[in-house]
Amino acid sequence: MNAKDTWINHIHQLQDKICATLESVDGAAKFIEDRWQREDGGGGKTRVISKGEVFEKGGVNTSVVFGQVTSSMRSQLKIEGAKWFAAGLSLVLHPWNPFVPTIHCNYRMFELYNQNDEVTDRWFGGGTDLTPYYLIEKDATHFHRVYKNVCDSFDASFYPEFKTGCDNYFVNSHRNNERRGIGGIFYDYKRPDEQKNLDFWLAFGMACGNAFDQSYIPIAEKRKRTSYSADQKHWQEIRRGRYVEFNLVHDRGTLFGLKTNGRIESILMSLPPTVRFEYNFQPQPGSEEDKLLQVCLTPRSWI
């Protein structure tokens, strides 16, 4: 298979694997699949789980889309060329329990072509980040160690670079640079070259995607039966509001989907089912809620 087919095959297999694992963790709900076609080229498979025992709402989506580079893409996304192709997997999970973190991951491949369908540019991007509502340091360390191990197996410089990239990307700059969560890894515009060729970046993206089970499932299994109060659920919904703010105000993926005539239900699948926007809500200083807020305001090392 060529690079495109190899990547497409991988994201579809990974989607199947992750969905089966999450259904096992939940124990009640099953994913519903919605296959869709994009009028301008390509399509995808949106899979949604909701109202289960563990997951209030979640989605594991794949898309393989292509088309002509439009004037709005050139002006707003800074994309040049005649035609484009993008394929990726995107995942978001919103559990019921405030002690089970929300998680997001996205791994993608992008190509640009000239009028003769020759590749003129190609890059890879992706990452996985964790959004807890209560800070459990052992869980944070476990999550980050999994991705550090993956990064280190390819290049020892990757984890510090991509952790910093994640801390600096998922930021609500309009809220005093408050981070969405405790980060993870994030990289973008990684182009193959002589040192790190096409096969390298394919393999790295695959390894990061395959690490999802190891990074998240042990945390979800350990915390899914933790008892919680109405006040703790209230705090979860306050923090979910920050998640919504980032996705709608700052996220490049949301903007890309909207500017390329993407499927709106799949683009907004990432939003949580219930949120709270309360005027100037502040946690009590020194509380467990405040402890989480402080690490969102000042990212720290977990390893």
Side-chain angles (χ1 to χ4, degrees):
M1 292 186 289
N2 60 30
K4 279 171 58 173
D5 290 338
T6 298
W7 182 252
I8 292 168
N9 184 60
H10 165 71
I11 62 174
H12 288 153
Q13 289 184 350
L14 184 60
Q15 183 183 35
D16 291 341
K17 174 188 171 187
I18 290 175
C19 287
T21 300
L22 293 174
E23 287 180 349
S24 177
V25 172
D26 190 272
K30 300 293 183 183
F31 280 90
I32 297 172
E33 181 175 281
D34 184 9
R35 294 191 179 221
W36 53 273
Q37 294 295 315
R38 179 176 170 275
E39 184 177 337
D40 297 327
K45 294 187 291 184
T46 296
R47 293 182 183 173
V48 174
I49 191 170
S50 62
K51 300 178 182 177
E53 291 295 321
V54 176
F55 301 111
E56 188 172 3
K57 180 189 175 187
V60 183
N61 298 347
T62 52
S63 63
V64 180
V65 291
F66 50 86
Q68 303 289 324
V69 176
T70 63
S71 58
S72 66
M73 291 176 69
R74 290 189 178 93
S75 63
Q76 298 190 41
L77 302 178
K78 310 303 180 186
I79 291 174
E80 295 297 335
K83 303 174 185 179
W84 63 274
F85 160 87
L89 176 141
S90 181
L91 172 159
V92 179
L93 295 168
H94 295 290
W96 292 99
N97 194 313
F99 291 97
V100 182
T102 284
I103 189 169
H104 158 262
C105 77
N106 179 294
Y107 293 95
R108 57 198 175 274
M109 173 185 181
F110 196 94
E111 289 185 342
L112 286 171
Y113 314 95
N114 60 23
Q115 290 288 2
N116 297 322
D117 293 327
E118 298 166 327
V119 176
T120 58
D121 202 359
R122 175 190 286 128
W123 65 83
F124 293 83
T128 306
D129 63 288
L130 198 68
T131 303
Y133 304 98
Y134 287 91
L135 181 61
I136 302 173
E137 297 210 11
K138 290 190 297 184
D139 293 350
T141 297
H142 165 81
F143 178 80
H144 276 267
R145 180 170 288 123
V146 168
Y147 286 100
K148 182 179 187 302
N149 290 342
V150 173
C151 288
D152 286 353
S153 68
F154 286 84
D155 187 317
S157 71
F158 277 3
Y159 175 73
E161 177 187 348
F162 297 164
K163 179 194 181 297
T164 299
C166 192
D167 289 338
N168 292 339
Y169 179 73
F170 294 102
V171 181
N172 276 323
S173 55
H174 60 282
R175 287 193 181 272
N176 196 29
N177 290 329
E178 181 184 301
R179 273 66 182 177
R180 191 171 76 174
I182 62 163
I185 61 169
F186 177 82
Y187 62 97
D188 209 357
Y189 300 109
K190 295 301 180 182
R191 292 173 167 86
D193 57 24
E194 291 183 1
Q195 285 73 41
K196 294 178 173 64
N197 62 17
L198 177 58
D199 289 340
F200 177 94
W201 287 112
L202 278 171
F204 180 69
M206 291 177 184
C208 289
N210 286 329
F212 168 81
D213 283 5
Q214 184 185 357
S215 70
Y216 183 69
I217 300 305
I219 297 172
E221 290 282 20
K222 190 184 302 182
R223 308 300 172 193
K224 67 184 184 181
R225 294 184 179 87
T226 302
S227 60
Y228 59 91
S229 67
D231 286 344
Q232 288 165 334
K233 185 68 177 178
H234 175 269
W235 171 246
Q236 179 198 54
E237 293 178 336
I238 292 287
R239 292 302 305 170
R240 282 177 171 182
R242 302 295 202 266
Y243 203 92
V244 170
E245 289 179 33
F246 175 82
N247 282 27
L248 296 184
V249 176
H250 301 293
D251 186 53
R252 292 201 298 259
T254 301
L255 177 64
F256 177 82
L258 295 175
K259 296 302 179 183
T260 56
N261 195 29
R263 185 171 183 270
I264 192 66
E265 289 297 325
S266 298
I267 296 168
L268 299 183
M269 176 277 301
S270 63
L271 300 182
T274 60
V275 300
R276 289 180 184 269
F277 292 95
E278 297 186 5
Y279 182 77
N280 198 28
F281 183 91
Q282 300 292 332
Q284 289 293 320
S287 66
E288 291 300 310
E289 292 78 10
D290 184 60
K291 186 186 298 185
L292 184 279
L293 178 60
Q294 294 311 310
V295 298
C296 292
L297 288 168
T298 308
R300 50 167 283 194
S301 172
W302 298 103
I303 300 175

